[in-house]
Amino acid sequence: MVVGLGNPGPEHAADRHTVGAMVLDELASRLRTGFKASKQRAAVAEVRLGPPGVSSQRVVLAKPTSWMNESGGPTAGLARFYGVDPLRVIAVHDELDIDAGAVRLKRGGGEGGHNGLRDISKALGTKDYVRVRVGIGRPPGRMDPADFVLRGFSSAERKELPFLLADAADAVEAVITDGLEAAQQRFHGPR
C-alpha cells in the first residue's frame, strides 16, 4: 500500500506539504486510473504494478482525506481493510531536510518532526515502513518551517515540479518492483 500524504481541499492542493498526494496523482495518471472515496477517510485506487502477468503486484494507492497530522487513522484502517502488513506500507511525503528536487528512500527511523509520519507510526504501531522522502528544501531566512510547508511552490520550483513528481513516482515503482535496496542504489547515487 502506498500512502501519499497531504492536506485536504483545493486550497492545499499545490502546497509543498501535499507533494506526497501529488506523487500518487502522477502514479494514477500513468496507470490510467482514478481514485474513489473510501470509508477510511481516504481516496483509494487499486492497481497492478510491475511486468504484466503473474509477476505484477496488486497495490493500493491511498491519499488520506484527513489533515496531515491525522494521517495515521486512515492509513491503519486501510492497511487492516486490505490486509496489508504495516511493513509493506510505503509513505510518500515532503521532506525539509532534503534538497529541493531530490528523492530519498529509507525504512524506519525517526519522523524528523513530521506530524503525518508521527501519526502513522503511532497508528501502525511501528516505524518500520518505507518512506519515499520528496525533498522540498529548507525555508528561506527565518521563515517558520510550518509556514513554509503550507505555501505553494515558487514559480521556479513549479517549472521543476513535474520532474520531481516523476522521479518520486519512479522511486515508488522501483521499491515495489525491485525492492528497497535496489531502489536506494538507483535514487541515492549521482544523478
Side-chain angles (χ1 to χ4, degrees):
M1 184 170 80
V2 183
V3 181
L5 301 186
N7 278 321
E11 66 276 17
H12 296 290
D15 290 356
R16 289 177 177 90
H17 219 21
T18 304
V19 75
M22 294 177 200
V23 172
L24 265 66
D25 289 337
E26 168 68 19
L27 281 168
S29 175
R30 289 179 181 187
L31 299 166
R32 295 181 173 85
T33 191
F35 290 89
K36 296 179 183 172
S38 161
K39 292 180 181 179
Q40 278 81 20
R41 295 189 310 153
V44 299
E46 295 181 54
V47 299
R48 294 198 75 81
L49 281 174
V54 178
S55 60
S56 69
Q57 294 187 45
R58 181 176 152 259
V59 177
V60 176
L61 303 179
K63 298 188 300 180
T65 55
S66 61
W67 291 103
M68 173 70 81
N69 62 355
E70 299 171 345
S71 299
T75 300
L78 287 167
R80 283 189 301 273
F81 180 80
Y82 286 103
V84 176
D85 185 296
L87 301 180
R88 299 200 38 94
V89 169
I90 300 170
V92 185
H93 64 91
D94 60 304
E95 180 64 59
L96 287 166
D97 293 326
I98 295 176
D99 291 340
V103 176
R104 296 291 179 260
L105 312 165
K106 73 174 188 173
R107 176 180 298 280
E111 290 91 7
H114 197 291
N115 291 330
L117 293 177
R118 184 175 294 122
D119 200 54
I120 289 173
S121 297
K122 181 179 175 184
L124 291 177
T126 184
K127 294 181 179 189
D128 290 333
Y129 51 91
V130 172
R131 295 102 185 270
V132 175
R133 304 160 66 208
V134 183
I136 61 168
R138 300 295 304 172
R142 295 176 183 239
M143 181 186 290
D144 183 346
D147 292 334
F148 179 69
V149 299
L150 295 175
R151 288 188 176 194
F153 291 94
S154 71
S155 58
E157 290 169 327
R158 282 195 304 274
K159 290 177 185 173
E160 298 298 318
L161 187 59
F163 303 106
L164 176 60
L165 298 177
D167 280 352
D170 289 346
V172 169
E173 290 190 59
V175 169
I176 292 168
T177 59
D178 304 329
L180 177 60
E181 188 173 312
Q184 285 174 320
Q185 289 176 0
R186 176 176 167 194
F187 287 90
H188 292 194
R191 299 194 47 106

